[in-house]
Amino acid sequence: MTDPTYEFTRAFTRRPAASIVDGLRAQDIGTPDLAQMEKAHAHYVATLKETGAEVIELPALDAFPDSVFVEDTALCLPKGAVLMRPGAPSRMGEVAEMAPTLSTLYSDLRQIEGPGHIEGGDILVTGREILVGRSDRTDAEGVAELTRIVSDWGYSLREVFTPPGVLHFKTDCSLLDGDTILSTKRLDASGCFEGYRVLHTAEGEEAAANSIRFNQYVLCPAGFLRTAEMLTKAGFEVVEISNAECAKLDGGMSCLSLRF
């Protein structure tokens, strides 16, 4: 028996475009270095492939600077997929670019029609429910529309709230197994993970919260030694991948793939 929340056979990634230097960011902490980003992205893709999963590498989209962050465009579930409606106007066109690819793999492909907005970075699928964090990119109307869609597939969805100043819900958390969550203390303090086993990122290493469990590996952003050590001691096989360039655009490990 496999667990579809972290055991995957496929993933989509998209190569970073040269226009990535114009990507969105909450604050300017430097311009991304495309060559370094490509190097880290290649390491990311190679790590996913090491697990035996098929990785479908989509071409760069120069018209959409943030398009490397494919997770925000869709939610992929065993029974179907849902195309999102990003809250950032400059990213709306990315969804139409993803739709043809998903339609070849999903017979049931649905779409958030609006007027609400929702991005994949605000959605955490656990072994018992789908958690969706309200944020600057995901609003109540978007959550309500997604609730109606996934209820057709038998899922329970619970709306939670992203801390102020945090871009996406999964900026501050990630799934480690069907019932274990890696979280910042500030997010866990909201009570949204009551009933789960929660492991906290080390003080000052909150950026490590955006990791992903992909089959046997936990992919973590490099440079957060205490959190990586904690995860290793907890029995997880950690692979550290440089996220220095993506972090300049508020991106992380989960943002870079659609996993199913």
Side-chain angles (χ1 to χ4, degrees), residues 22 41 91 186 201 211:
D22 299 318
H41 196 263
R91 301 198 64 191
R186 66 188 172 196
T201 54
S211 299

Side-chain angles (χ1 to χ4, degrees), residues 73 83 91-101 111:
T73 64
L83 295 166
R91 301 198 64 191
M92 293 279 279
E94 294 176 34
V95 177
E97 296 286 346
M98 183 60 69
T101 303
Q111 183 157 2

Side-chain angles (χ1 to χ4, degrees), residues 119-150:
E119 294 187 357
D122 284 313
I123 303 170
L124 183 72
V125 181
T126 79
R128 65 181 80 161
E129 62 188 338
I130 298 174
L131 295 171
V132 182
R134 288 264 296 277
S135 71
D136 288 343
R137 301 285 184 85
T138 293
D139 56 30
E141 292 82 3
V143 176
E145 188 171 356
L146 181 63
T147 300
R148 292 191 292 271
I149 291 172
V150 300

